[in-house]
Amino acid sequence: MKNKSWLGLMFFFITLFACTSDDNNCGDYNDIVLDPLNITIKLVDQATGENLITNQTIDFNNLSVEEQNSSNVVIVKTADDLIFATFDYNNADGIYSLKNNDETLFQFDVNVKEVEGECYNYNTIDNVEIMGHDYVFDSAQNIYTVKLQVN
């Protein structure tokens, strides 16, 4: 009888420790991969609507993005001649200049907000304003089409 009690007690403790509850199902914070903060820009001729990279008015290799706080911005040309800009995750707020060689084509203001998630908080781009030029934001494709006057 003593052995049955001992086995029952041991079974109880094994079951108790094996059935831990994780109410939030968030897992390990180290397993979280956050998407980079980015925007996509299309440069078009204000008069014709032509893509200025496709028609070779602007050479993508001469483009750069600069920011007042020297935040790291990486730009990549997509297959359909769009500019894909990726920002520093922790320091994306700021006013940026898109330059062709040393000439500023336009400036844009990026505003980031922190979103409270179920398991963790994360940053997302809240608003982008293109300054000094007409532009259209396509929310379905997440593309900012900037209209530039070509000489």
Side-chain angles (χ1 to χ4, degrees):
M1 191 71 160
K2 234 180 181 185
N3 284 342
K4 285 185 181 182
S5 301
W6 177 251
L7 283 172
L9 190 57
M10 197 161 93
F11 178 76
F12 171 77
F13 281 113
I14 289 173
T15 304
L16 179 68
F17 290 115
C19 296
T20 59
S21 167
D22 185 5
D23 292 338
N24 63 12
N25 295 320
C26 290
D28 187 2
Y29 184 76
N30 294 326
D31 293 337
I32 297 170
V33 176
L34 299 172
D35 292 333
L37 300 176
N38 55 60
I39 64 171
T40 305
I41 300 169
K42 179 179 182 181
L43 303 177
V44 298
D45 183 313
Q46 185 173 6
T48 66
E50 286 184 274
N51 185 314
L52 296 173
I53 295 174
T54 302
N55 73 11
Q56 299 178 352
T57 301
I58 294 176
D59 182 353
F60 176 82
N61 296 318
N62 295 333
L63 293 177
S64 63
V65 174
E66 295 180 8
E67 199 265 336
Q68 294 171 350
N69 296 327
S70 300
S71 180
N72 187 26
V73 180
V74 176
I75 61 171
V76 176
K77 182 173 85 167
T78 66
D80 46 356
D81 291 334
L82 303 176
I83 302 164
F84 186 76
T86 303
F87 302 92
D88 180 356
Y89 184 79
N90 294 313
N91 192 24
D93 266 332
I95 297 176
Y96 297 83
S97 298
L98 180 67
K99 295 190 171 197
N100 184 22
N101 291 317
D102 289 330
E103 177 190 351
T104 299
L105 296 174
F106 62 89
Q107 291 186 312
F108 56 102
D109 187 5
V110 176
N111 294 298
V112 174
K113 71 176 179 179
E114 184 176 15
V115 176
E116 188 173 316
E118 181 180 334
C119 298
Y120 58 91
N121 295 350
Y122 59 94
N123 291 336
T124 186
I125 292 179
D126 182 40
N127 185 44
V128 174
E129 181 183 350
I130 310 294
M131 297 181 280
H133 292 278
D134 291 336
Y135 69 96
V136 175
F137 176 62
D138 179 346
S139 60
Q141 295 184 1
N142 201 29
I143 297 174
Y144 293 86
T145 300
V146 182
K147 300 173 183 180
L148 300 176
Q149 186 173 2
V150 178
N151 297 335

